[in-house]
Amino acid sequence: MHLAETPQVTPGRRTQSAVSAVPGPHLESAPEAPAQWHRVLTLLADVSLFIGARTVWTQAATHRLTLAAVISLCYAAILVTGILALTVRRARSLARLDLVVLVTAIVLTLCTWALNHAGGDEAVLTTQAAREILGGHQVYDHPWPWLFHLPGVALTPTTTGGYDFTYGYPPLTPLLTLPFLGLGHNGAPATAAVTVVLIVGTVVLWRRLPAPWRSAATMICLGFSFLPMYARQGYPAIVALVLLMPVVTGWTRLGAGGRLGASGIARAACLGAACAAQQLPWFLTPFLLAGIYAVRRGELDGRAAARVVLRVTGIAVLTWFVINAYFVVTEPGPWIRGIVLPLTQGAVVHGQGLVGISLYFTDGSDRLDWYSHASMLLAAALLGLFVLFVRRLGPAATVLPWCVFYLATRSQDGYYLMMTPLWLAAAITTPLSEFTRAWQPRPAWLTARRRRPALAAAVALLVLPALLSVTVAATGGPPLRMHITKARHVSPTALSMLTVKVTNTGSDPLTPHYMLTTGQGMGKYWSLAHGPATIPAHGTATVVLRAPDGSYPLPTKKSTRFRLRAFTPTPQTLSTVDVQGSELGLTG
């Protein structure tokens, strides 16, 4: 491999001195050939642009021919770039191709936004928040239920039997949306703002990475299409991601020598701004600050390292406060309730993490709150492990925080996917060698003769509480037994009411809220038409449930799996029962 990447020279020329040799008209220095892995990385980034391009072209070809022509030109650029990436002879030429791939990705992203920019619930909420700011009205703790009647806008059910209609993020994204309010209605202004931020962030990350690695930024930020998709949905987390990119790129050099400098001040400000855009950076920040302290203390004394961390923290907090200042003054109570809403709203369980045990593989649990306890305990445990073993875990600082959500009641893969560019930036710019001299706390009991058993015991003590908590949650049983005794129809393919016999097997009275589901997602709640709202402890009651909007269409597929679910808020529980088609009046 080494020979393939090194220009061949003749034996005669090998013996000439590089200093004394004078290039003649036919003797020039050989161009620097690109490494083969650089070619492959450029090619992979180029290939990643095919993902989703056909769907967008098909959509454009029906009614937006100009965009279809632009996308066709992007196809040509992808093909030509693929050929040149494998054949150019100079590293500089390959670096220019990396730029071509980036520009092509940006054009495809903008074309896709032009065709699909209405957005979902995140976008319409952010746009509405921006309009309220412009009008000088209250933003937080103020429901906007009419927004959720728009097509494509999903509801977030809560265990209280209702839905969350309020804005629940810090205010930076609505502030960035203000200049785009003239673009249209629904969520278009927010999707435009977030898409522009993502493109700018991709360019910044592309520039900050070493030249041979730049196509990796194009590929992971724009090429696989999932981050542009989240941007077209108006997710504030994309804004937070972009602001974190300059922070985590080479983060171990932040405050080197005890000084921040202009660059360090700007990066600390970006950290504060990211925390003012969305709540996910709140989980990453402790890991970064702990890592910065450990690395700086490896070269400075403890006080100097602490001063660096305090400066970074102070600048970040000041930036965060400046962005939030208007809301702190005008609506302090609603503001604080709004920015902590994802932690307090009581949304129903959902996601690809361990909560799926109770949601899909069993009939529920009467101890769902323990999933939340487990996630918080895991966060503390991972931070403790990171501090104890920073020389080994340091490069994983941008990955470890997201493990917390695998145990949470809301564990959607978006929490991981949207932060993957940070994994890339850290992997390229903060290798393991950066942590060789990092400070690791070693109390006397960890430096004793039996060091390895002591460290193993420390790991077990830190992780065990989270594991026990998630075990308690997953092994809980459904507190309610339910049986459908009657189904009423408005038509042969639509339900209007269900009569359900409900038995509370627990020792606490429960107030359940019911829904009928047919897939992995949640549906709308069925309202209580007759019967008690609260089922007493060890009691049985018959309730009549009315379908949402008066009618529940039944799927025509015989293989459809129906599940009747009942959520309770206090304590947070889930009870599920499989429903046969015959119980719903289906035949065949």
mmCIF file of all heavy atoms in Angstrom, residues 35-54:
data_model
loop_
_atom_site.group_PDB
_atom_site.id
_atom_site.type_symbol
_atom_site.label_atom_id
_atom_site.label_comp_id
_atom_site.label_asym_id
_atom_site.label_seq_id
_atom_site.Cartn_x
_atom_site.Cartn_y
_atom_site.Cartn_z
ATOM 1 N N ALA A 35 -3.530 10.181 -1.129
ATOM 2 C CA ALA A 35 -3.614 8.858 -0.523
ATOM 3 C C ALA A 35 -4.862 8.137 -1.028
ATOM 4 O O ALA A 35 -5.885 8.758 -1.327
ATOM 5 C CB ALA A 35 -3.657 8.988 0.996
ATOM 6 N N GLN A 36 -4.762 6.815 -1.101
ATOM 7 C CA GLN A 36 -5.892 6.045 -1.618
ATOM 8 C C GLN A 36 -7.123 6.176 -0.728
ATOM 9 O O GLN A 36 -8.251 6.223 -1.225
ATOM 10 C CB GLN A 36 -5.502 4.569 -1.753
ATOM 11 C CG GLN A 36 -6.537 3.706 -2.454
ATOM 12 C CD GLN A 36 -6.720 4.085 -3.926
ATOM 13 O OE1 GLN A 36 -5.866 4.760 -4.503
ATOM 14 N NE2 GLN A 36 -7.819 3.658 -4.532
ATOM 15 N N TRP A 37 -6.942 6.276 0.595
ATOM 16 C CA TRP A 37 -8.093 6.418 1.481
ATOM 17 C C TRP A 37 -8.797 7.758 1.245
ATOM 18 O O TRP A 37 -10.016 7.853 1.423
ATOM 19 C CB TRP A 37 -7.684 6.265 2.949
ATOM 20 C CG TRP A 37 -6.765 7.342 3.478
ATOM 21 C CD1 TRP A 37 -5.415 7.298 3.563
ATOM 22 C CD2 TRP A 37 -7.151 8.628 3.989
ATOM 23 N NE1 TRP A 37 -4.919 8.467 4.094
ATOM 24 C CE2 TRP A 37 -5.958 9.291 4.369
ATOM 25 C CE3 TRP A 37 -8.368 9.269 4.167
ATOM 26 C CZ2 TRP A 37 -5.971 10.578 4.905
ATOM 27 C CZ3 TRP A 37 -8.377 10.546 4.703
ATOM 28 C CH2 TRP A 37 -7.188 11.188 5.075
ATOM 29 N N HIS A 38 -8.022 8.786 0.829
ATOM 30 C CA HIS A 38 -8.628 10.073 0.504
ATOM 31 C C HIS A 38 -9.516 9.942 -0.733
ATOM 32 O O HIS A 38 -10.633 10.481 -0.778
ATOM 33 C CB HIS A 38 -7.542 11.119 0.285
ATOM 34 C CG HIS A 38 -8.067 12.499 0.071
ATOM 35 N ND1 HIS A 38 -7.256 13.571 -0.246
ATOM 36 C CD2 HIS A 38 -9.336 13.002 0.098
ATOM 37 C CE1 HIS A 38 -7.999 14.660 -0.381
ATOM 38 N NE2 HIS A 38 -9.261 14.337 -0.182
ATOM 39 N N ARG A 39 -9.047 9.204 -1.723
ATOM 40 C CA ARG A 39 -9.875 8.956 -2.913
ATOM 41 C C ARG A 39 -11.172 8.243 -2.535
ATOM 42 O O ARG A 39 -12.266 8.602 -2.995
ATOM 43 C CB ARG A 39 -9.100 8.089 -3.919
ATOM 44 C CG ARG A 39 -7.870 8.716 -4.529
ATOM 45 C CD ARG A 39 -7.288 7.750 -5.560
ATOM 46 N NE ARG A 39 -6.003 8.177 -6.074
ATOM 47 C CZ ARG A 39 -5.841 9.008 -7.100
ATOM 48 N NH1 ARG A 39 -6.909 9.480 -7.715
ATOM 49 N NH2 ARG A 39 -4.634 9.333 -7.514
ATOM 50 N N VAL A 40 -11.044 7.217 -1.694
ATOM 51 C CA VAL A 40 -12.221 6.435 -1.304
ATOM 52 C C VAL A 40 -13.207 7.300 -0.523
ATOM 53 O O VAL A 40 -14.424 7.216 -0.724
ATOM 54 C CB VAL A 40 -11.788 5.207 -0.486
ATOM 55 C CG1 VAL A 40 -13.011 4.484 0.078
ATOM 56 C CG2 VAL A 40 -10.961 4.263 -1.341
ATOM 57 N N LEU A 41 -12.687 8.155 0.365
ATOM 58 C CA LEU A 41 -13.572 9.010 1.153
ATOM 59 C C LEU A 41 -14.315 10.002 0.261
ATOM 60 O O LEU A 41 -15.526 10.223 0.428
ATOM 61 C CB LEU A 41 -12.748 9.765 2.201
ATOM 62 C CG LEU A 41 -13.532 10.560 3.243
ATOM 63 C CD1 LEU A 41 -14.469 9.654 4.022
ATOM 64 C CD2 LEU A 41 -12.577 11.272 4.190
ATOM 65 N N THR A 42 -13.619 10.586 -0.700
ATOM 66 C CA THR A 42 -14.283 11.485 -1.647
ATOM 67 C C THR A 42 -15.346 10.741 -2.440
ATOM 68 O O THR A 42 -16.450 11.254 -2.669
ATOM 69 C CB THR A 42 -13.249 12.104 -2.598
ATOM 70 O OG1 THR A 42 -12.255 12.794 -1.836
ATOM 71 C CG2 THR A 42 -13.901 13.073 -3.566
ATOM 72 N N LEU A 43 -15.015 9.534 -2.861
ATOM 73 C CA LEU A 43 -15.972 8.732 -3.627
ATOM 74 C C LEU A 43 -17.199 8.381 -2.787
ATOM 75 O O LEU A 43 -18.332 8.451 -3.269
ATOM 76 C CB LEU A 43 -15.291 7.464 -4.131
ATOM 77 C CG LEU A 43 -16.116 6.587 -5.078
ATOM 78 C CD1 LEU A 43 -16.391 7.322 -6.380
ATOM 79 C CD2 LEU A 43 -15.409 5.273 -5.350
ATOM 80 N N LEU A 44 -16.994 8.017 -1.518
ATOM 81 C CA LEU A 44 -18.120 7.681 -0.656
ATOM 82 C C LEU A 44 -19.036 8.897 -0.452
ATOM 83 O O LEU A 44 -20.265 8.769 -0.462
ATOM 84 C CB LEU A 44 -17.611 7.171 0.695
ATOM 85 C CG LEU A 44 -16.998 5.763 0.704
ATOM 86 C CD1 LEU A 44 -16.407 5.467 2.075
ATOM 87 C CD2 LEU A 44 -18.025 4.719 0.329
ATOM 88 N N ALA A 45 -18.437 10.051 -0.240
ATOM 89 C CA ALA A 45 -19.236 11.262 -0.102
ATOM 90 C C ALA A 45 -20.022 11.542 -1.376
ATOM 91 O O ALA A 45 -21.197 11.943 -1.335
ATOM 92 C CB ALA A 45 -18.338 12.444 0.250
ATOM 93 N N ASP A 46 -19.379 11.321 -2.510
ATOM 94 C CA ASP A 46 -20.037 11.528 -3.793
ATOM 95 C C ASP A 46 -21.207 10.562 -3.964
ATOM 96 O O ASP A 46 -22.311 10.952 -4.368
ATOM 97 C CB ASP A 46 -19.007 11.337 -4.906
ATOM 98 C CG ASP A 46 -19.502 11.856 -6.247
ATOM 99 O OD1 ASP A 46 -20.021 12.991 -6.285
ATOM 100 O OD2 ASP A 46 -19.371 11.134 -7.245
ATOM 101 N N VAL A 47 -20.978 9.303 -3.635
ATOM 102 C CA VAL A 47 -22.029 8.292 -3.761
ATOM 103 C C VAL A 47 -23.191 8.584 -2.817
ATOM 104 O O VAL A 47 -24.362 8.342 -3.146
ATOM 105 C CB VAL A 47 -21.442 6.890 -3.492
ATOM 106 C CG1 VAL A 47 -22.547 5.848 -3.371
ATOM 107 C CG2 VAL A 47 -20.476 6.499 -4.607
ATOM 108 N N SER A 48 -22.895 9.120 -1.620
ATOM 109 C CA SER A 48 -23.953 9.384 -0.649
ATOM 110 C C SER A 48 -24.969 10.399 -1.162
ATOM 111 O O SER A 48 -26.095 10.461 -0.663
ATOM 112 C CB SER A 48 -23.352 9.875 0.667
ATOM 113 O OG SER A 48 -22.858 11.199 0.547
ATOM 114 N N LEU A 49 -24.581 11.198 -2.163
ATOM 115 C CA LEU A 49 -25.517 12.185 -2.706
ATOM 116 C C LEU A 49 -26.634 11.542 -3.517
ATOM 117 O O LEU A 49 -27.656 12.182 -3.782
ATOM 118 C CB LEU A 49 -24.761 13.201 -3.577
ATOM 119 C CG LEU A 49 -23.625 13.965 -2.903
ATOM 120 C CD1 LEU A 49 -23.070 15.029 -3.832
ATOM 121 C CD2 LEU A 49 -24.084 14.593 -1.601
ATOM 122 N N PHE A 50 -26.461 10.290 -3.931
ATOM 123 C CA PHE A 50 -27.529 9.598 -4.645
ATOM 124 C C PHE A 50 -28.735 9.327 -3.747
ATOM 125 O O PHE A 50 -29.857 9.170 -4.229
ATOM 126 C CB PHE A 50 -27.023 8.260 -5.196
ATOM 127 C CG PHE A 50 -26.219 8.382 -6.457
ATOM 128 C CD1 PHE A 50 -24.931 7.874 -6.519
ATOM 129 C CD2 PHE A 50 -26.743 8.987 -7.583
ATOM 130 C CE1 PHE A 50 -24.184 7.972 -7.681
ATOM 131 C CE2 PHE A 50 -26.002 9.090 -8.744
ATOM 132 C CZ PHE A 50 -24.717 8.581 -8.801
ATOM 133 N N ILE A 51 -28.511 9.248 -2.419
ATOM 134 C CA ILE A 51 -29.582 8.873 -1.503
ATOM 135 C C ILE A 51 -30.677 9.941 -1.523
ATOM 136 O O ILE A 51 -30.440 11.094 -1.200
ATOM 137 C CB ILE A 51 -29.040 8.686 -0.077
ATOM 138 C CG1 ILE A 51 -28.000 7.566 -0.057
ATOM 139 C CG2 ILE A 51 -30.166 8.388 0.898
ATOM 140 C CD1 ILE A 51 -27.312 7.381 1.276
ATOM 141 N N GLY A 52 -31.845 9.550 -1.918
ATOM 142 C CA GLY A 52 -32.983 10.466 -1.954
ATOM 143 C C GLY A 52 -33.082 11.319 -3.198
ATOM 144 O O GLY A 52 -34.111 11.978 -3.410
ATOM 145 N N ALA A 53 -32.027 11.326 -4.037
ATOM 146 C CA ALA A 53 -32.047 12.215 -5.201
ATOM 147 C C ALA A 53 -33.124 11.806 -6.206
ATOM 148 O O ALA A 53 -33.775 12.661 -6.816
ATOM 149 C CB ALA A 53 -30.671 12.225 -5.874
ATOM 150 N N ARG A 54 -33.332 10.511 -6.378
ATOM 151 C CA ARG A 54 -34.330 10.061 -7.352
ATOM 152 C C ARG A 54 -35.741 10.485 -6.933
ATOM 153 O O ARG A 54 -36.548 10.926 -7.763
ATOM 154 C CB ARG A 54 -34.259 8.544 -7.509
ATOM 155 C CG ARG A 54 -35.251 8.009 -8.517
ATOM 156 C CD ARG A 54 -35.156 6.511 -8.651
ATOM 157 N NE ARG A 54 -36.127 5.997 -9.610
ATOM 158 C CZ ARG A 54 -36.289 4.711 -9.899
ATOM 159 N NH1 ARG A 54 -35.529 3.818 -9.288
ATOM 160 N NH2 ARG A 54 -37.184 4.312 -10.762
#
